[in-house]
Amino acid sequence: MGEETETTRVRTLFLSDMHLGTKGCQADLLLEFLRDYDADEIYLVGDIIDGWQLKSGWYWPQSHNDVVQKLMRKVRKGSTLVYVPGNHDEFLRDYIGMTFGGIEIADQRLHEAADGKRYLVIHGDQFDMVVRHAKWLAYLGDGAYTFALFINTYVNTARRRLGLAYWSLSAWAKLKVKNAVNFIGKFEELLSAEAKRVGADGVICGHIHHAANRQIDGLTYLNTGDWVESCTAIVEHYDGTMEVLHYPSLLRARLQTAVVERPRPDGARAVA
């Protein structure tokens, strides 16, 4: 970005599904977000590093390394960081309970917000029957998703040239295909039921790349979304309020504000 912006401080920041190590990861945008937001506590809610893709072929550009370094710098400056592994970085589950460089590895965590509400923080793949019982099918689905992202790149290149906004093929498919919609609904219900079972007031998860903040059976269901397509995160403000942030929308709003407030040569302000 051309202009420096002030860093926003929040109580807690929840990020998931970065998929570092894949070409689909929007690392540059993620790094920009991490420059814009600081937090007392940071939760990485799984699928941060994509071990599945790295096994099939090494891909690790400087921008992905920059994201890791930025997170480590936040820890050195005093942020608490908890890493809750997902299915794509399940190799880290061998180290649950251990701390490396100030980063704690945890299978799940009960997070108490400033307003006293407790949230179960978990990636969510444990409640995905395909991942649990048919991993070969999960790998196949991951390959199809990667292909959809590949196609999406060319579609959105054409859309940008036409002055159209970003459009997600896979997100459209998930919301149009009946089985995918049913899967998302069932996933949300299972995670909410697990939160109720452990005595929490809500759940914060990732896994399905579908950001959400809604009530289910009296509990708060929050999904962080992803940094492959939607570029979303959840923040907890200092009063305990939870908010889903769609970073591209924030950037567009900031750009529009800058255009409106830009001074004209005659001393007046430009009007969009």
Side-chain angles (χ1 to χ4, degrees), residues 108-127:
Q108 55 185 257
R109 176 62 64 86
L110 272 177
H111 171 77
E112 185 169 341
D115 58 4
K117 291 182 179 178
R118 300 198 308 162
Y119 295 87
L120 173 65
V121 183
I122 186 171
H123 180 65
D125 63 292
Q126 301 92 329
F127 297 87

Side-chain angles (χ1 to χ4, degrees), residues 61-91:
Q62 183 60 43
S63 59
H64 293 208
N65 201 53
D66 290 342
V67 168
V68 174
Q69 291 300 319
K70 185 64 175 176
L71 288 167
M72 294 298 295
R73 198 172 302 124
K74 288 182 182 293
V75 173
R76 290 195 296 271
K77 289 183 176 180
S79 296
T80 300
L81 198 152
V82 180
Y83 194 139
V84 178
N87 51 305
H88 282 258
D89 45 18
E90 61 189 349
F91 60 90

Side-chain angles (χ1 to χ4, degrees), residues 95-272:
Y95 304 99
I96 284 171
M98 302 178 72
T99 301
F100 301 95
I103 300 175
E104 180 187 349
I105 312 297
D107 184 49
Q108 55 185 257
R109 176 62 64 86
L110 272 177
H111 171 77
E112 185 169 341
D115 58 4
K117 291 182 179 178
R118 300 198 308 162
Y119 295 87
L120 173 65
V121 183
I122 186 171
H123 180 65
D125 63 292
Q126 301 92 329
F127 297 87
D128 183 338
M129 295 302 105
V130 173
V131 170
R132 288 187 63 182
H133 301 295
K135 185 165 280 191
W136 67 269
L137 189 56
Y139 277 111
L140 182 63
D142 184 64
Y145 180 67
T146 301
F147 180 71
L149 290 176
F150 174 76
I151 296 297
N152 217 50
T153 300
Y154 292 96
V155 170
N156 280 289
T157 298
R159 287 178 65 86
R160 278 196 301 273
R161 289 173 179 169
L162 294 171
L164 299 174
Y166 179 87
W167 179 77
S168 170
L169 170 64
S170 61
W172 174 84
K174 278 191 288 188
L175 294 177
K176 290 296 182 182
V177 178
K178 183 179 179 181
N179 288 342
V181 173
N182 290 341
F183 168 78
I184 290 172
K186 187 64 176 177
F187 178 85
E188 293 175 345
E189 290 172 8
L190 288 171
L191 266 294
S192 299
E194 178 65 10
K196 182 177 287 188
R197 188 187 71 80
V198 301
D201 301 292
V203 61
I204 300 172
C205 59
H207 186 56
I208 59 172
H209 295 206
H210 186 69
N213 180 0
R214 65 191 193 90
Q215 296 297 307
I216 300 177
D217 295 331
L219 284 91
T220 302
Y221 171 85
L222 290 151
N223 194 298
T224 52
D226 66 277
W227 285 88
V228 176
E229 295 180 274
S230 58
C231 299
T232 52
I234 291 171
V235 298
E236 178 201 349
H237 298 287
Y238 283 99
D239 62 355
T241 302
M242 295 288 183
E243 181 184 7
V244 175
L245 298 181
H246 180 244
Y247 193 53
S249 294
L250 293 177
L251 291 179
R252 283 196 294 271
R254 184 185 301 166
L255 182 61
Q256 289 169 358
T257 300
V259 169
V260 169
E261 295 182 348
R262 187 176 67 244
R264 294 202 315 239
D266 59 6
R269 293 194 176 274
V271 178

Side-chain angles (χ1 to χ4, degrees), residues 18-70:
M18 298 177 185
H19 291 277
L20 294 168
T22 70
K23 293 181 180 179
C25 173
Q26 298 202 43
D28 291 332
L29 208 56
L30 175 56
L31 187 61
E32 206 169 319
F33 176 81
L34 292 172
R35 290 176 181 138
D36 280 351
Y37 283 85
D38 262 333
D40 300 344
E41 188 166 22
I42 301 170
Y43 284 90
L44 301 180
V45 195
D47 287 1
I48 305 304
I49 299 170
D50 198 317
W52 291 11
Q53 287 296 317
L54 289 174
K55 279 182 182 178
S56 61
W58 188 259
Y59 177 78
W60 195 267
Q62 183 60 43
S63 59
H64 293 208
N65 201 53
D66 290 342
V67 168
V68 174
Q69 291 300 319
K70 185 64 175 176

